[in-house]
């Protein structure tokens, strides 16, 4: 697998395709059209690659950044940027993913535009509904992944325990051991 899906919501996992946003050079996981195709299939949104090209990739990155701008404004308690709202709304009005029933099951297919429309619609539901209050950013300083905190007591700190949570806990343990060694 080329991509990670720690959030449990596709729009927020899509935002996470640009990692370590605070670094001088963030890690771009959508650097080529094939990586966008892979994201759609690995996420389960499509059963077959949509056939992205360079223009599709540019449009997808623009939508991703618009969703991130809206999430960041919600996290900071600031008004949502009108340009980002317009971008997300424009995509949300697009055609849905194509579902087809076959004797052997069902398939999910579509164009990049259809996939982006589905992401935008779900982003609208998150940002415009009660779930917006559950938005959090991972507490690991190097990570900028956002997620919905549905944990008991709303105390989730990391985008994923198996990655960021383990790294933070291991670093804390090493720091305690290193500090105790000199005593």
């Amino acid at each position: 697998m080329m991509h990670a899906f720690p959030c449990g919501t596709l729009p927020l996992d899509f935002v996470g395709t640009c990692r370590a946003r605070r670094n001088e050079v963030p890690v771009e996981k959508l650097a080529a059209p094939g990586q966008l195709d892979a994201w759609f299939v690995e996420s389960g949104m499509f059963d077959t690659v949509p056939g992205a090209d360079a223009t599709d990739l540019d449009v997808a990155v623009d939508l991703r950044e618009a969703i991130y701008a809206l999430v960041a404004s919600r996290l900071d308690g600031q008004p949502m940027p009108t340009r980002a709202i317009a971008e997300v709304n424009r995509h949300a009005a697009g055609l849905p993913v194509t579902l087809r029933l076959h004797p052997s099951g069902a398939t999910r297919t579509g164009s990049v535009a259809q996939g982006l429309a589905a992401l935008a619609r779900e982003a609208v539901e998150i940002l415009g509904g009660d779930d917006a209050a559950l938005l959090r950013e991972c507490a690991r300083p190097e990570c900028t992944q956002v997620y919905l905190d549905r944990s008991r007591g709303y105390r989730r700190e990391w985008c994923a325990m198996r990655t960021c949570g383990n790294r933070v806990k291991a670093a804390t343990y090493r720091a305690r051991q290193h500090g105790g060694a000199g005593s």
Side-chain angles (χ1 to χ4, degrees):
M1 253 180 124
M2 186 180 300
H3 299 283
F5 301 90
C7 299
T9 60
L10 291 181
L12 299 181
D13 284 326
F14 190 65
V15 165
T17 59
C18 181
R19 298 194 181 142
R21 289 175 178 269
R22 287 185 285 276
N23 288 1
E24 190 172 317
V25 179
V27 177
E28 178 59 71
K29 301 299 280 184
L30 295 179
Q35 291 174 323
L36 179 60
D37 281 339
W39 191 92
F40 280 121
V41 173
E42 291 173 15
S43 71
M45 185 174 281
F46 292 138
D47 295 318
T48 60
V49 298
D53 62 21
T55 300
D56 292 328
L57 181 61
D58 290 341
V59 170
V61 169
D62 286 347
L63 175 62
R64 179 191 68 193
E65 294 308 305
I67 294 170
Y68 181 73
L70 296 170
V71 167
S73 68
R74 293 293 256 175
L75 288 169
D76 294 338
Q78 300 296 315
M80 292 190 289
T82 55
R83 184 171 176 262
I85 290 172
E87 178 81 4
V88 169
N89 284 338
R90 184 174 63 79
H91 284 283
L95 293 173
V97 170
T98 303
L99 297 171
R100 287 205 162 58
L101 183 62
H102 306 280
S104 60
T107 58
R108 299 169 62 83
T109 61
S111 65
V112 169
Q114 287 172 284
L116 296 177
L119 291 170
R121 279 191 290 279
E122 190 173 344
V124 167
E125 289 177 10
I126 291 168
L127 293 160
D130 294 339
D131 282 347
L134 304 177
L135 285 166
R136 305 283 185 275
E137 185 176 71
C138 184
R140 188 170 72 90
E142 299 81 23
C143 185
T144 54
Q145 182 70 53
V146 290
Y147 59 90
L148 294 176
D149 182 2
R150 298 184 190 282
S151 67
R152 176 183 260 160
Y154 305 104
R155 295 174 33 175
R156 180 175 163 189
E157 296 181 57
W158 305 291
C159 61
M161 185 61 199
R162 71 183 182 281
T163 54
C164 289
N166 283 339
R167 288 178 187 164
V168 171
K169 287 183 173 210
T172 302
Y173 175 79
R174 284 191 302 274
R176 276 195 319 263
Q177 297 296 47
H178 185 317
S183 299

